[in-house]
Amino acid sequence: MAHRPNPGPGAREALELLSSVDAPALADACRRDRATAITARFMALVAARYGVAPECVVPTVGTHQGITQALFALARPGDHAIVERPAFEPLHRVPETLGLSVSRLERRFEDQWRPLSDRLARLLTPKTRAVILSNLHNPSGVAIETAELEAIAEMAARVGAQVFVDEVYLDFDFGADGKPWRPAAVAIDNGLSASSMTKVFGLSSVRVGWLVTRDPDVAEALRHANAYFHVTPPLPSLVLANAALERAEALEALARTHSARGRALVDAWLEGESRLRWVPPSAGQTGLLELPPLTPDPVFCEHLRGRFDTQLVPGSLFEAPGFVRLSYNLPPAELERALGHISAALDELAP
């Protein structure tokens, strides 16, 4: 939420945990003859997280490229995709850029941001190749429960479509016992999970991500697409990613500690801030706040930044006008100060 760039929850601790990766190891990773071993280790580590064979894992250069690579492999110009709304912009811009026709699956505040399967049924066509979602939902932080995902997958399978799910925030509760949500590649046969080192692991600068599917034919198509994107993954980055994945439990625990601490502060603040509403996020580090009526979100965010040096993301950037996305992974004192600034800005701007 702060004006200055946010390195992500636990980023400092993540770098400390990776200190065992020395310069000679990174230099050695630059040798092309090391590519097979380094990539195989990465695929094995990711596969173990999802309980799939390593051959079902495809490395990507971050989740942004993963979206493009998946649609490049699985669809052709003139095919059809269904994309949630509100949405992280690349989820709908990428299929549009690749020449797909795009329909939108509305996720509404009054429905707790759930992607209702009856709406999906009215959008599917014989040319639908992908249903594109995020879980946790970006921007609201609301999870798609497994029963809902299964209903979506069953409908998509009738027309031969894959269910592509951006799961970069789901890693905050990855494999959590007793939680009613699971990764798409684990929960459904036609699920395609996409994630990266960016959020929970706090390592956005390494630009490493992955795609996971249980379908060997889909995995093979995704691997063939590598030749058009990166051929060989960035090997020094994979070395760092491997070190992080080997310490995944510790890094995930750090991320959950940071987000839980921030979430408690936001919950306490909202109890006394009646002008704002949200659907409580299921997990993660972000939520979507509804502003008071007649308060334009871009104007509010511009005022907040200029007057109080505090930043929220306008909901309009996610096609959710009248809302703002709040990230609460800041140090407690800084977060409390920022929440006070939001209330002060409401005093000055809200009707």
Side-chain angles (χ1 to χ4, degrees):
M1 191 198 305
H3 188 116
R4 62 178 177 273
N6 187 344
R12 183 179 298 106
E13 295 95 331
L15 293 173
E16 290 172 356
L17 283 172
L18 298 182
S19 62
S20 61
V21 181
D22 55 21
L26 293 177
D28 182 65
C30 294
R31 294 166 41 194
R32 290 181 64 89
D33 62 352
R34 296 282 291 128
T36 298
I38 292 170
T39 305
R41 178 60 176 160
F42 175 78
M43 293 167 63
L45 287 166
V46 175
R49 286 174 63 79
Y50 291 82
V52 300
E55 294 75 19
C56 294
V57 176
V58 179
T60 66
V61 183
T63 308
H64 278 80
Q65 189 229 285
I67 298 165
T68 308
Q69 185 169 334
L71 292 175
F72 182 88
L74 303 175
R76 294 294 178 266
D79 284 341
H80 178 240
I82 298 169
V83 183
E84 67 183 10
R85 180 163 52 201
F88 178 51
E89 186 174 5
L91 295 185
H92 66 92
R93 292 296 185 203
V94 168
E96 290 168 355
T97 300
L98 293 176
L100 278 66
S101 64
V102 176
S103 300
R104 308 306 298 276
L105 176 62
E106 303 296 339
R107 300 180 67 162
R108 297 173 179 163
F109 180 80
E110 58 267 28
D111 299 321
Q112 309 295 294
W113 301 119
R114 294 171 54 206
L116 299 180
S117 56
D118 60 337
R119 292 195 189 120
L120 176 66
R122 296 191 288 269
L123 299 173
L124 289 163
T125 79
K127 299 191 75 175
T128 304
R129 295 293 171 265
V131 177
I132 301 174
L133 306 167
S134 59
N135 193 24
L136 306 170
H137 181 219
N138 186 12
S140 74
V142 171
I144 303 174
E145 297 192 358
T146 299
E148 295 172 323
L149 190 60
E150 288 172 343
I152 289 168
E154 181 181 358
M155 291 183 180
R158 295 173 190 170
V159 297
Q162 292 287 309
V163 181
F164 177 99
V165 187
D166 176 350
E167 294 173 351
V168 293
Y169 287 107
L170 191 63
D171 285 338
F172 277 92
D173 243 347
F174 192 94
D177 293 336
K179 296 294 176 67
W181 52 79
R182 292 186 295 163
V186 175
I188 54 179
D189 291 335
N190 56 337
L192 181 55
S193 292
S195 194
S196 76
M197 305 305 300
T198 299
K199 304 302 181 187
V200 168
F201 296 101
L203 296 171
S204 61
S205 60
V206 304
R207 307 312 303 157
V208 170
W210 55 86
L211 298 168
V212 182
T213 174
R214 289 194 293 183
D215 187 325
D217 292 335
V218 171
E220 185 66 17
L222 295 170
R223 272 192 296 275
H224 283 313
N226 280 347
Y228 295 91
F229 291 95
H230 54 70
V231 185
T232 300
L235 298 178
S237 289
L238 282 190
V239 169
L240 292 171
N242 289 346
L245 289 167
E246 288 165 355
R247 299 158 175 79
E249 286 190 15
L251 293 174
E252 288 165 345
L254 283 169
R256 284 193 294 270
T257 297
H258 280 263
S259 62
R261 185 172 55 197
R263 173 63 183 275
L265 290 173
V266 174
D267 285 342
W269 170 67
L270 285 174
E271 286 182 6
E273 183 48 85
S274 61
R275 293 168 292 185
L276 299 172
R277 299 191 302 161
W278 72 351
V279 176
S282 304
Q285 64 182 26
T286 67
L288 200 56
L289 296 170
E290 184 185 41
L291 293 172
L294 305 178
T295 306
D297 53 286
V299 173
F300 182 80
C301 290
E302 183 177 358
H303 180 78
L304 181 67
R305 179 170 178 147
R307 176 85 166 80
F308 296 100
D309 193 29
T310 300
Q311 182 168 299
L312 297 171
V313 182
S316 297
L317 296 182
F318 298 91
E319 304 172 290
F323 291 84
V324 291
R325 192 185 75 167
L326 170 114
S327 296
Y328 42 83
N329 63 344
L330 298 177
E334 188 173 341
L335 177 58
E336 288 184 308
R337 185 164 56 252
L339 296 173
H341 292 164
I342 295 171
S343 292
L346 286 169
D347 291 340
E348 295 179 356
L349 283 186

